[in-house]
Amino acid sequence: MIIEYRMLLTSHLTTRKQDMESKSNPSPSLEEKLAKEIKDIKDKATKDGLTKREIRELFLNYVKSQEAPKSRCNFGLPMKILLVSLLPIILAIATMVLNAEFDMTKLKEDFIGSKCLVDNNAILMEAARPLVECDVCKNLKQVPIVYDLDEKTFVEKYAYSNVPALVKGATKNWTAMDTFSFKFLKDIYTKTPDALQSVEEECQFFPYKTEFHTLEEVFEMPEARANFEEGQKNWYIGWSNCNGDVAEILRKHYQRPHFLPKDSESSSLDWLFMGGSGPGAFVHLDYVQRPSWQAQIKGRKSWTLVPVPECEHVCVPMNITVEKGDIILIDTNQWYHSTFVHPGEISITIGSEYD
């Protein structure tokens, strides 16, 4: 039900974005309309049994989840003007929904004084997101499953079409399949100088529903919890690696997917996700530069893909399970997605973007 209301919130923001995108300053009537719609969502959620705490967490998670890389500033001046004008609306809605108070003076100083003018959090990124053409998904009922994918087919059907695909058995000859483990990754990061610090200061760390604040804290957990022994609290986290020494070690154990064109430019970042049985990433869009691939190194993980709000009338949600050795191809900027780790072996995924 939380996912249902998160999508409802996104849908209303997208509709109001369409109303406002031709205006440098939203009119009072649009502000009132948006505020009323968010209040209606809150009232409906309450009526359907969500607690005040759940509603508050819904809004906070929507605002705070999946922040874009700290160094990226993707807003042009017209969009900055629009977002400046939207700030009072967002704060008014937050006050109404969360019954929270805000220090306007401090917010104004932080907002105007920041390097990017606004932090690239999910609610502002959603407001700035280009609308998607829905033709690509309107006849898609399930994620295509592909065997023996070659470069030509990849380029023609999947590379830049926004059509997701599951490539079976695509990690043949990768030593990562036998080498990667919690202990292996812990040893790399704790023994490589400045590796943990670089994740904290230069990369991204996703705690999801855990209490961890840094990757260092993850690797300090008791061995019993790391091994998911009975009675221990479950965990699932993700992070990006931008440490060159760590990347060099990781890439000894995996190669670029064989179907990528030889002249395709790969990202310098590795993305890693690791954890035990249960919910993984909550439903969200990413705000990365390019489409991506993710290889399932250990365990089994199911993905739920949901079309963006403007395509809901012609496209349908889809589910796909990624087995050990499979690679999923997906433009995470175009598809809302969440993941679920199946019982059994720890799930470890590594991926990157491609051009």
Side-chain angles (χ1 to χ4, degrees):
M1 188 174 288
I2 289 289
I3 290 177
E4 173 188 342
Y5 283 103
R6 189 189 304 277
M7 294 304 300
L8 188 57
L9 176 61
T10 300
S11 179
H12 280 269
L13 285 168
T14 301
T15 302
R16 295 288 71 78
K17 177 200 167 189
Q18 293 170 332
D19 291 341
M20 293 186 289
E21 64 184 357
S22 62
K23 304 175 184 290
S24 61
N25 291 289
S27 67
S29 61
L30 286 177
E31 294 180 14
E32 292 168 4
K33 193 170 185 179
L34 179 57
K36 182 181 184 303
E37 287 172 349
I38 300 303
K39 184 177 185 301
D40 289 344
I41 292 173
K42 176 195 173 187
D43 292 343
K44 186 176 187 298
T46 302
K47 185 177 179 181
D48 286 349
L50 269 68
T51 65
K52 289 183 179 179
R53 180 178 178 182
E54 287 174 326
I55 295 170
R56 182 176 185 275
E57 288 179 352
L58 166 69
F59 188 90
L60 284 175
N61 286 337
Y62 184 83
V63 173
K64 294 179 179 179
S65 66
Q66 302 305 310
E67 289 186 352
K70 299 175 183 177
S71 61
R72 285 176 56 195
C73 301
N74 292 331
F75 302 117
L77 183 58
M79 184 54 67
K80 289 181 181 180
I81 294 172
L82 173 60
L83 292 175
V84 169
S85 66
L86 280 172
L87 180 61
I89 306 173
I90 295 167
L91 294 180
I93 294 168
T95 301
M96 176 180 59
V97 175
L98 307 180
N99 296 320
E101 295 182 358
F102 298 90
D103 184 341
M104 284 299 297
T105 302
K106 184 177 186 306
L107 279 167
K108 242 168 134 185
E109 289 174 355
D110 292 344
F111 189 71
I112 300 300
S114 68
K115 181 179 179 181
C116 295
L117 187 62
V118 289
D119 290 334
N120 288 355
N121 60 44
I123 195 168
L124 296 181
M125 295 296 279
E126 176 63 29
R129 176 179 62 81
L131 298 181
V132 171
E133 294 290 338
C134 303
D135 288 348
V136 67
C137 64
K138 68 179 181 181
N139 295 317
L140 197 61
K141 305 302 181 186
Q142 61 185 17
V143 177
I145 298 176
V146 187
Y147 295 83
D148 300 320
L149 181 61
D150 56 40
E151 180 181 323
K152 183 174 182 293
T153 305
F154 170 72
V155 171
E156 290 176 352
K157 291 189 175 182
Y158 305 110
Y160 312 108
S161 66
N162 295 334
V163 175
L166 180 68
V167 187
K168 298 295 291 184
T171 64
K172 294 176 181 177
N173 303 319
W174 287 17
T175 57
M177 311 303 293
D178 299 316
T179 305
F180 279 23
S181 66
F182 178 90
K183 184 179 184 304
F184 172 77
L185 294 170
K186 176 180 177 179
D187 286 346
I188 291 175
Y189 276 92
T190 55
K191 294 177 182 179
T192 302
D194 301 324
L196 289 168
Q197 184 178 354
S198 69
V199 173
E200 185 171 353
E201 296 180 357
E202 303 170 34
C203 308
Q204 285 183 278
F205 174 72
F206 303 114
Y208 297 117
K209 293 186 177 181
T210 70
E211 76 282 11
F212 301 119
H213 295 93
T214 65
L215 186 60
E216 184 174 12
E217 291 181 7
V218 173
F219 289 138
E220 288 176 347
M221 78 172 76
E223 186 176 347
R225 187 177 179 191
N227 293 330
F228 307 103
E229 293 183 10
E230 187 175 352
Q232 295 295 316
K233 189 176 179 182
N234 195 29
W235 55 273
Y236 181 88
I237 52 94
W239 73 97
S240 61
N241 175 67
C242 44
N243 181 286
D245 293 332
V246 171
E248 185 177 353
I249 297 171
L250 293 177
R251 292 174 184 183
K252 289 179 181 177
H253 297 284
Y254 81 91
Q255 295 78 45
R256 281 164 42 103
H258 65 274
F259 47 79
L260 289 183
K262 294 178 178 56
D263 60 353
S264 173
E265 181 181 346
S266 296
S267 170
S268 60
L269 283 179
D270 294 308
W271 294 89
L272 297 103
F273 301 91
M274 177 170 63
S277 175
F282 40 76
V283 63
H284 67 285
L285 278 184
D286 290 334
Y287 300 98
V288 293
Q289 298 285 358
R290 297 172 287 192
S292 61
W293 58 267
Q294 286 194 27
Q296 193 70 29
I297 304 299
K298 300 281 188 183
R300 300 170 66 239
K301 185 162 66 176
S302 287
W303 289 62
T304 298
L305 308 184
V306 181
V308 291
E310 62 266 29
C311 297
E312 287 177 341
H313 63 295
V314 293
C315 303
V316 299
M318 300 181 293
N319 293 287
I320 190 72
T321 297
V322 186
E323 307 280 352
K324 181 176 179 178
D326 295 345
I327 289 179
I328 186 170
L329 304 172
I330 181 172
D331 188 337
T332 55
N333 301 299
Q334 306 293 331
W335 289 90
Y336 280 91
H337 53 285
S338 63
T339 57
F340 180 87
V341 177
H342 292 266
E345 180 178 47
I346 185 174
S347 173
I348 299 179
T349 306
I350 190 165
S352 189
E353 301 168 41
Y354 65 84
D355 189 5

